Amino acid sequence: MANRGPSYGLSREVQEKIEQKYDPELESRLVDWIVAQCGGNVEKPQPGKQNFQTWIMDGTILCRLINSLYPRGKEPIKKIAETQMAFKQMEKISQFLQAAEAYGVITTDIFQTVDLWEGKDMAAVQRTLMALGSVALTKDDGHYRGNRDWFHRKSQGNRREFSEEQLRQGQNLIGLQMGSNRGASQAGMTGYGMHRQIM
């Protein structure tokens, strides 16, 4: 973690708002899922944002998590090196993020490496892990382990095919979003200035 001094003014207000988005209950659910997904030899951290950050900060658990969602032999991260060098740990986090995006997590749901490494936005880390769990549950390819109630299924596409005749018929209709002219008439309306002429 970087040694940064305290923030003041607007920077402090922004950081406090970001920190308020962190959900301790969600942390507990994510820890349970990661332990279930990676296997029994992963130890749970003590509760708390700082402990959660320290637990996944070196990138090893994240790499094991994404690899566990693939069949054996098709893992996206081939070698997970145990190292204490900061840039190698950040590289593992980056590999996890690339693999998560390739797995199907939307780019806007993916956190930045510094969000985890420096603890700037742990809520974004939670959002990424939630999105990953939801994608894994939705794929339903047999690699998801854990309680199915922990995540929501993502909606699936429902493409519709229309014939040329149906498309032509649709061009002749005026949708109700355009408004309706039923019941509209000029009965009872007077032209501009008509009331002046009567006088």
Side-chain angles (χ1 to χ4, degrees), residues 31-138:
V31 167
D32 289 342
W33 175 57
I34 291 170
V35 169
Q37 187 69 41
C38 292
N41 59 350
V42 176
E43 290 185 27
K44 286 185 176 184
Q46 291 294 317
K49 181 167 63 169
Q50 190 73 39
N51 294 327
F52 182 65
Q53 177 192 0
T54 305
W55 186 55
I56 61 175
M57 189 172 78
D58 73 347
T60 303
I61 290 176
L62 294 176
C63 290
R64 287 181 58 188
L65 174 64
I66 194 71
N67 279 350
S68 70
L69 295 171
Y70 284 87
R72 199 171 287 287
K74 303 219 178 194
E75 295 94 348
I77 303 171
K78 303 296 181 202
K79 186 177 179 186
I80 305 171
E82 298 274 339
T83 180
Q84 297 299 318
M85 290 188 285
F87 73 93
K88 285 286 189 184
Q89 292 177 350
M90 290 177 81
E91 188 176 295
K92 284 193 283 187
I93 295 170
S94 181
Q95 287 176 330
F96 163 77
L97 295 174
Q98 290 171 353
E101 191 171 356
Y103 189 71
V105 177
I106 301 168
T107 308
T108 55
D109 286 339
I110 294 198
F111 66 88
Q112 301 293 314
T113 303
V114 293
D115 291 339
L116 171 58
W117 185 255
E118 295 181 1
K120 285 195 170 292
D121 192 357
M122 289 302 291
V125 176
Q126 286 184 325
R127 281 192 304 273
T128 300
L129 293 172
M130 279 297 293
L132 179 64
S134 294
V135 171
L137 183 63
T138 304

